[in-house]
Amino acid sequence: MPRAVKKLFVKTYGCQMNQYDSDRLFEVMGEIGFESTDEMAQADVVVLNTCHIREKAAEKVYSDLGRIKLIRNKRLQNGEETTVVVAGCVAQAEGREILARAPIVNIVIGPQSYHRLPDYIFSAEQHKQRIVDTDFPTDLKFEHLPGRSIKKLTAFITVQEGCDKFCTFCVVPYTRGGEYSRPVKEIVKETIELARHGTKEITLLGQNVNAYHGANKKGQPVSLARLIKKVAKVEGLERIRYTTSHPNDMSDDLIEAHKEIEKLMPYLHLPFQSGSDKILKAMNRDHKIDKYREILERVREARPDIALSTDIIVGFPGETDQDFEDTMQLVRDIKYAQAYSFTYSPRPGTTAALMEDQVEKHVASERLQRLQTLLKEQQLEFNRAQIGKKLPILLEKRGREPGQLVGRSPYLQLVHVIAPDEMMGRIVEVEIVDTTRNSLAGELKKAQNKELV
Ligand code: SAH
Ligand code: SF4
Ligand code: F3S
């Protein structure tokens, strides 16, 4: 009797780079005949693609493993085996410890090694081996990954990975390794493949994406702005975004690109972490707040309607009420379209975890609450300002209500609209009629079954 197709379930935690890695994992496993499933109980292989950035994210993995154990045991009663894989940044940081703490785990694999997963699955299944691979291999995973075959209207492409900046709170340099930029040719090829499968929008990813300096054919370094220009030429691709940027790498040509390149969306995610120069120094961020303000002024000059986003940490060691007020003031002055904010989480192996003047948890939580109240008001204000405007919306998926499609505005806001199913995947003009903090409601212009693209 022919063996049923094997099924793969992946749960992705953490950042967009992990989402990209999960997409690639489906492609790698697709090559050896695996199909994806959304039902963990149906899966022969369960992968947790994990995040180590804050304690909560890392600990979540172990509670999930507890649940997987129950499912795996149930499957065993039916004679079905389950291979359990911990991938991603917790895998990289904790390695072998995971095998000791969670006996059901078969394979632990870091973010630079997942192209080898098919071999490891074979060894785990056939020889009942438990495997740990957390090397930063010299053979780059990108050279071993298959072509892009995933069908997604919006997709990620990692163009730069790792980090050499060593902010004192951050695990990324340890979990992802040193900074590496992929060659231009590889990225253009990936974009073409995705566009052929229907991708309309790509987001170029990097831990410090604007530090990108990948080589062209002649081996010369190319900036992110020039890479965006090249990618913008790919036929079928309509929209380009990039994230995450670092203030120190915000070059003039990237700012200009927001004026010049039509496909580049008016959105910039530029984390500042703290509004206090003293705290920035302790964080090893290596820039001052005045410089950050000046960058944003220039960005707004180049593209007045740009939506700004940021990351903020509150309660970093040594943060006083005044330091926090400086953060609040900066937010009041800039006015963000949206933002991510967190209380500081001490991470093993980082310098800040050893600093003496740790802020008490309840103080940090209270500050975070005040900050988030302000950010929510700003987000709502930004969304309200869109009411009455006609915006081009890329319709990406079905909404919860019958006949509803959901898409994104150029400013990355979710927009709900009643529209025929055939409009899926198109960019259509929508009049914004209402808003909540998290999304907009729009109406198709009557005469406009006209397609913008
Ligand atoms: N490379 C990006 C950020 C990557 S990590 C940059 O330099 O801005 C994503 C976000 O997680 C960070 O911007 C920071 O706000 C948050 N973060 C990182 N480490 C953290 C920690 N130890 N505690 C709380 N938040 C943290
Ligand atoms: Fe982490 Fe800093 Fe590197 Fe960003 S720049 S990934 S916060 S070390
Ligand atoms: Fe988390 Fe690793 Fe991304 S630690 S934020 S998944 S780079």
Side-chain angles (χ1 to χ4, degrees):
M1 214 172 69
R3 173 124 181 45
V5 175
K6 285 200 162 190
K7 295 263 166 50
L8 170 69
F9 174 93
V10 179
K11 174 167 177 179
T12 309
Y13 310 66
C15 66
Q16 289 148 321
M17 196 167 284
N18 257 14
Q19 289 177 35
Y20 171 82
D21 289 341
S22 292
D23 286 351
R24 305 293 340 240
L25 211 54
F26 279 117
E27 289 165 343
V28 168
M29 298 290 285
E31 296 266 291
I32 56 162
F34 272 79
E35 277 179 5
S36 83
T37 173
D38 295 332
E39 296 277 329
M40 202 190 278
Q42 304 289 324
D44 303 278
V45 173
V46 172
V47 179
L48 301 183
N49 195 8
T50 61
C51 172
H52 199 242
I53 202 86
R54 284 170 290 275
E55 192 182 354
K56 249 195 204 150
E59 282 305 309
K60 181 92 183 42
V61 176
Y62 290 100
S63 55
D64 284 349
L65 282 170
R67 232 165 308 133
I68 293 169
K69 187 175 169 185
L70 301 178
I71 293 173
R72 189 200 65 154
N73 290 349
K74 227 183 189 162
R75 280 173 55 87
L76 261 183
Q77 286 167 6
N78 298 331
E80 294 168 318
E81 302 262 354
T82 314
T83 305
V84 180
V85 182
V86 175
C89 291
V90 175
Q92 189 63 43
E94 296 185 7
R96 194 159 290 281
E97 271 174 55
I98 297 173
L99 294 188
R101 199 169 151 190
I104 64 154
V105 174
N106 304 95
I107 299 168
V108 174
I109 191 164
Q112 305 307 343
S113 310
Y114 61 78
H115 54 291
R116 302 198 188 124
L117 191 58
D119 290 343
Y120 294 152
I121 292 201
F122 181 80
S123 305
E125 282 179 356
Q126 300 298 312
H127 310 298
K128 304 286 166 230
Q129 285 173 345
R130 298 181 89 195
I131 296 155
V132 178
D133 181 352
T134 51
D135 286 350
F136 286 130
T138 43
D139 56 332
L140 291 168
K141 69 178 172 213
F142 294 111
E143 288 161 17
H144 297 273
L145 293 171
R148 304 303 311 263
S149 55
I150 215 157
K151 288 185 180 62
K152 285 194 153 183
L153 286 166
T154 61
F156 297 123
I157 301 184
T158 293
V159 302
Q160 178 273 345
E161 195 170 353
C163 183
D164 297 333
K165 290 197 163 59
F166 290 94
C167 299
T168 53
F169 52 81
C170 182
V171 293
V172 169
Y174 311 100
T175 61
R176 292 274 168 172
E179 196 187 297
Y180 167 75
S181 292
R182 299 177 66 195
V184 174
K185 208 171 105 190
E186 241 177 69
I187 297 158
V188 172
K189 180 171 168 274
E190 225 179 292
T191 312
I192 294 171
E193 286 168 355
L194 284 167
R196 272 199 201 127
H197 287 99
T199 298
K200 293 279 163 65
E201 175 181 306
I202 55 161
T203 304
L204 305 176
L205 297 181
Q207 264 90 16
N208 291 288
V209 73
N210 54 344
Y212 176 83
H213 58 275
N216 64 12
K217 275 185 211 139
K218 293 181 194 148
Q220 295 154 335
V222 165
S223 69
L224 179 65
R226 281 178 52 208
L227 176 72
I228 292 171
K229 263 183 212 157
K230 287 208 185 304
V231 162
K233 291 192 188 129
V234 170
E235 213 176 303
L237 185 75
E238 301 301 338
R239 291 179 160 189
I240 302 167
R241 303 179 188 274
Y242 61 94
T243 201
T244 291
S245 298
H246 193 290
N248 287 357
D249 299 305
M250 207 63 213
S251 60
D252 293 345
D253 68 342
L254 186 56
I255 296 176
E256 277 303 294
H258 278 285
K259 205 185 323 189
E260 292 168 2
I261 305 173
E262 217 181 310
K263 289 184 183 176
L264 182 59
M265 291 295 100
Y267 187 95
L268 174 65
H269 180 67
L270 194 66
F272 71 84
Q273 314 298 358
S274 166
S276 151
D277 283 340
K278 180 192 91 188
I279 298 295
L280 283 180
K281 191 155 189 259
M283 287 176 164
N284 192 29
R285 288 293 284 185
D286 205 27
H287 68 82
K288 298 218 159 100
I289 276 306
D290 279 352
K291 178 178 166 190
Y292 180 80
R293 286 177 189 268
E294 186 221 306
I295 293 168
L296 291 188
E297 260 170 44
R298 287 198 290 134
V299 169
R300 277 183 162 151
E301 240 167 68
R303 182 76 206 224
D305 65 332
I306 200 157
L308 296 175
S309 162
T310 197
D311 289 347
I312 307 165
I313 297 178
V314 301
F316 185 82
E319 185 185 77
T320 61
D321 284 341
Q322 184 54 51
D323 294 322
F324 175 65
E325 272 314 311
D326 292 345
T327 295
M328 291 288 279
Q329 193 52 47
L330 184 65
V331 172
R332 280 185 210 108
D333 293 345
I334 302 292
K335 297 189 173 55
Y336 288 95
Q338 74 102 49
Y340 302 94
S341 50
F342 321 92
T343 52
Y344 166 71
S345 168
R347 305 304 292 129
T350 61
T351 340
L354 305 173
M355 289 179 181
E356 271 167 13
D357 35 7
Q358 301 284 329
V359 173
E360 282 183 77
K361 269 200 177 131
H362 74 273
V363 174
S365 302
E366 188 269 332
R367 287 178 187 164
L368 183 69
Q369 227 167 13
R370 281 178 55 206
L371 174 64
Q372 290 187 337
T373 304
L374 175 61
L375 290 168
K376 278 178 196 165
E377 281 166 17
Q378 294 194 342
Q379 189 172 11
L380 189 57
E381 207 173 303
F382 184 86
N383 287 353
R384 277 204 190 115
Q386 313 302 321
I387 295 179
K389 285 191 191 162
K390 296 184 187 80
L391 297 179
I393 308 300
L394 169 55
L395 297 171
E396 289 170 30
K397 56 182 181 195
R398 286 198 188 88
R400 251 185 253 148
E401 289 178 22
Q404 192 184 50
L405 296 183
V406 187
R408 296 248 177 210
S409 77
Y411 313 110
L412 207 57
Q413 298 144 306
L414 275 179
V415 182
H416 293 84
V417 58
I418 300 295
D421 239 22
E422 314 83 81
M423 283 199 171
M424 184 86 84
R426 292 200 215 153
I427 297 176
V428 294
E429 194 173 272
V430 170
E431 181 169 336
I432 305 303
V433 293
D434 200 3
T435 175
T436 62
R437 184 167 62 81
N438 293 320
S439 68
L440 304 175
E443 285 174 1
L444 275 183
K445 295 313 304 152
K446 285 253 160 39
Q448 107 106 224
N449 282 328
K450 163 189 125 199
E451 205 179 319
L452 290 187
V453 172

